[in-house]
Amino acid sequence: MEIKRDLYLKKLESSIGNGMVKIITGPRRCGKSYLLFEMFPKYLKEQGVKEDHILALQLDKRDKERYRDLDELQKYFNERKTSDGKTQFFLIDEIQLSYPKENPWVKGQKITFYDVLNQFLSYKNTEIFVTGSNSHLLSSDIATEFRGRGWQIPMHPLSFAEFSSANEGRGDDFSLWNRYYLYGGLPAIARTEDEEQERDYLRDVYLTTYLRDIVERFSLRGERSLDETVKVLASTVGSFVNPNRLSSTFVSKEGNKVSPATIARYLTYLEDAFLLHGASRFDIKGKEHIGSQKKYYFEDLGLRNAACDFTDQNQEPHYMENVIYNELILRGYQVSIGGVSEYSEGKSGKTERKNYEVDFVAERHGKRYYIQSALYIPDEEKRKQEIHPLLLIRDSFKKILITKISGTGLYDENGILHLNLFRFLKDPDSLDI
């Protein structure tokens, strides 16, 4: 049974004819190759595109390694492109595996895959789609290297809605949720129920596809310190990370000194590999981002648990927070961690300031949502505790409390929307009810 990825297929469809290189970015094993080389060609053929007008090349295949050479890559498509005036499609997988070459005409200058892809754009009646797994190469450089002609389509592991659809009839929301937050949404294991097989697969992907890839890409001396960094981050999901404190942790527990500067580089590498996302602080009153610390959320909770060898699993509130963050990113929101203050007179008569945190500030197209995440609301005291930071916000943007068990979909007397977790995850319009 094919797992539907309609959201991404529609993005590919709508991008045809925009005159840009379409770049599908995202973590390894999230389904980029299947989308581009199975689903998309099937759609094109259904629209009447002939097979010889779909030119596909997967650079991560052993028998296609020669085309990582840029001259060979360009030659491959030049020899196969058509001239009948009908649209042709160039599909290239893992474009970041191609390597730069010295420019024979300009000393000290490199020719890169950006140059080749920009050359392809000059061909008439040609649509170019590529995938890449390195966010630094294919995200931060897109605007400059493509000179406004690169169109990024971020892809993620299965959302809970996609995971539920793939497992329709195999459990209710609660049982599927238990599997999802433990084993994540990598498509290869979405429909398996063999826990040992799932764990073995995730351990292998984490160690060989993510960790080792980072070590080799950045020529690190070894992977132990990097692995330990990931383990600490996995145990602190939902907490702000300070490289200085992480460095001290390694000295006291592991006996091997890792400098704060090295920790900071590791965090960048892990984000570039799409293993983590960092969310910064946002001062709600001052309407600005503050400080350098971030909270880090895992792109896939299965990989988070694999990094910890599936120990330390009793963190469901933090897992829920991680999943909500991922869902907001999937829907295209810019997501920050909100900060709001309350002033009151202390015992000494002096004014005291108390800081509160709002789990997420999600912004898109001029809209903003303040969101609190709570696994359970067992009593009135807990309810007041959760909504208090929201009540301190004086603007008119929507305020939402998401809970796993309750969540009526109704507004309370303070105008706060109480939303059920599963409704939020399965209804893309749930924030606007």
Side-chain angles (χ1 to χ4, degrees):
M1 175 184 175
E2 182 177 79
I3 299 175
K4 294 182 179 180
R5 310 302 302 271
D6 292 345
L7 171 67
Y8 305 106
L9 189 57
K10 288 177 181 177
K11 288 184 178 181
L12 295 186
E13 295 170 12
S14 64
S15 70
I16 295 174
N18 68 7
M20 299 186 183
V21 176
K22 274 67 75 169
I23 308 134
I24 308 167
T25 60
R28 293 185 183 274
R29 309 293 178 89
C30 75
K32 301 187 302 296
S33 298
Y34 193 83
L35 172 71
L36 189 58
F37 288 86
E38 298 292 336
M39 294 182 173
F40 191 50
K42 180 181 178 181
Y43 162 79
L44 293 176
K45 292 172 186 177
E46 289 172 350
Q47 303 305 307
V49 178
K50 294 181 179 180
E51 190 161 354
D52 63 356
H53 283 57
I54 305 173
L55 307 181
L57 188 61
Q58 294 178 276
L59 296 181
D60 62 340
K61 301 301 182 184
R62 178 67 180 85
D63 61 343
K64 297 296 188 293
E65 286 185 352
R66 65 178 290 186
Y67 300 110
R68 297 179 187 178
D69 179 283
L70 293 176
D71 291 334
E72 292 293 327
L73 176 67
Q74 188 160 354
K75 182 179 178 183
Y76 177 90
F77 287 98
N78 284 346
E79 291 178 345
R80 292 166 176 78
K81 66 185 180 69
T82 61
S83 57
D84 59 6
K86 295 183 178 179
T87 302
Q88 57 192 344
F89 294 82
F90 291 2
L91 314 181
I92 309 173
D93 197 26
E94 301 292 1
I95 187 64
Q96 83 283 350
L97 293 177
S98 62
Y99 48 88
K101 303 189 71 171
E102 291 290 340
N103 189 330
W105 297 281
V106 182
K107 185 177 180 180
Q109 187 180 79
K110 298 279 188 180
I111 297 174
T112 69
F113 66 80
Y114 295 107
D115 298 303
V116 174
L117 295 178
N118 279 317
Q119 176 65 30
F120 288 163
L121 277 180
S122 68
Y123 297 169
K124 292 183 178 180
N125 306 310
T126 302
E127 295 285 338
I128 303 139
F129 293 81
V130 303
T131 75
S133 298
N134 184 318
S135 67
H136 179 70
L137 286 175
L138 290 169
S139 182
S140 60
D141 292 344
I142 284 176
T144 54
E145 299 292 348
F146 285 112
R147 298 182 287 278
R149 301 187 71 186
W151 185 267
Q152 188 175 8
I153 302 172
M155 192 172 186
H156 305 276
L158 299 178
S159 67
F160 181 73
E162 291 173 320
F163 181 85
S164 298
S165 178
N167 287 278
E168 187 174 0
R170 305 177 77 182
D172 60 14
D173 285 337
F174 292 98
S175 62
L176 292 177
W177 167 254
N178 290 339
R179 283 179 51 203
Y180 184 73
Y181 79 70
L182 287 177
Y183 301 113
L186 295 187
I189 59 171
R191 289 179 52 81
T192 64
E193 294 186 9
D194 184 325
E195 293 194 22
E196 184 176 353
Q197 180 182 352
E198 290 175 321
R199 293 184 183 207
D200 287 345
Y201 175 82
L202 288 166
R203 287 190 190 101
D204 180 66
V205 170
Y206 168 68
L207 290 172
T208 64
T209 306
Y210 283 87
L211 208 62
R212 196 165 301 163
D213 180 60
I214 294 172
V215 170
E216 293 175 356
R217 181 186 304 154
F218 297 104
S219 301
L220 304 182
R221 295 179 185 177
E223 59 188 42
R224 182 180 177 183
S225 296
L226 178 64
D227 185 32
E228 289 300 327
T229 301
V230 178
K231 283 181 167 60
V232 173
L233 293 169
S235 67
T236 58
V237 168
S239 301
F240 280 102
V241 170
N242 184 315
N244 291 301
R245 291 180 183 175
L246 283 185
S247 178
S248 299
T249 299
F250 288 140
V251 170
S252 61
K253 291 186 177 181
E254 299 301 322
N256 57 319
K257 185 173 178 58
V258 182
S259 71
T262 298
I263 297 292
R265 285 198 301 272
Y266 285 170
L267 294 173
T268 299
Y269 299 160
L270 293 166
E271 286 195 84
D272 282 347
F274 294 102
L275 187 62
L276 300 173
H277 289 289
S280 59
R281 292 177 185 265
F282 180 77
D283 179 5
I284 293 173
K285 184 178 180 180
K287 296 180 175 57
E288 62 180 357
H289 288 89
I290 55 175
S292 57
Q293 293 186 59
K294 293 181 179 181
K295 284 189 178 184
Y296 288 90
Y297 296 98
F298 280 75
E299 176 78 31
D300 182 80
L301 282 174
L303 293 174
R304 179 267 172 208
N305 290 321
C308 292
D309 201 25
F310 295 92
T311 60
D312 194 26
Q313 294 182 13
N314 190 26
Q315 296 193 44
E316 189 177 356
H318 297 304
Y319 296 158
M320 175 176 160
E321 187 178 322
N322 199 138
V323 171
I324 291 173
Y325 175 86
N326 288 348
E327 183 66 26
L328 292 170
I329 293 296
L330 170 68
R331 296 182 188 181
Y333 290 99
Q334 296 293 321
V335 185
S336 307
I337 311 302
V340 62
S341 301
E342 182 178 35
Y343 295 88
S344 60
E345 185 176 319
K347 294 180 180 180
S348 63
K350 294 183 179 181
T351 300
E352 295 181 350
R353 171 178 172 175
K354 189 171 184 179
N355 298 320
Y356 293 88
E357 188 174 287
V358 176
D359 288 330
F360 301 118
V361 181
E363 299 179 273
R364 186 184 67 176
H365 303 325
K367 289 187 176 181
R368 181 187 297 169
Y369 304 85
Y370 301 111
I371 299 171
Q372 289 286 72
S373 167
L375 190 65
Y376 302 112
I377 303 290
D379 51 41
E380 181 63 15
E381 182 180 354
K382 175 66 172 176
R383 188 186 78 89
K384 289 181 179 179
Q385 175 188 330
E386 292 295 338
I387 68 172
H388 186 71
L390 298 176
L391 297 178
L392 297 176
I393 303 171
R394 302 306 180 189
D395 63 39
S396 59
F397 291 113
K398 183 175 288 188
K399 304 167 183 67
I400 301 168
L401 174 63
I402 300 177
T403 55
K404 177 184 174 184
I405 300 298
S406 55
T408 60
L410 301 176
Y411 291 83
D412 66 16
E413 67 278 8
N414 299 299
I416 297 172
L417 173 63
H418 291 248
L419 190 59
N420 177 263
L421 172 65
F422 302 125
R423 180 169 185 181
F424 164 70
L425 294 175
K426 298 173 79 170
D427 179 1
D429 301 315
S430 56
L431 296 183
D432 291 315
I433 62 175

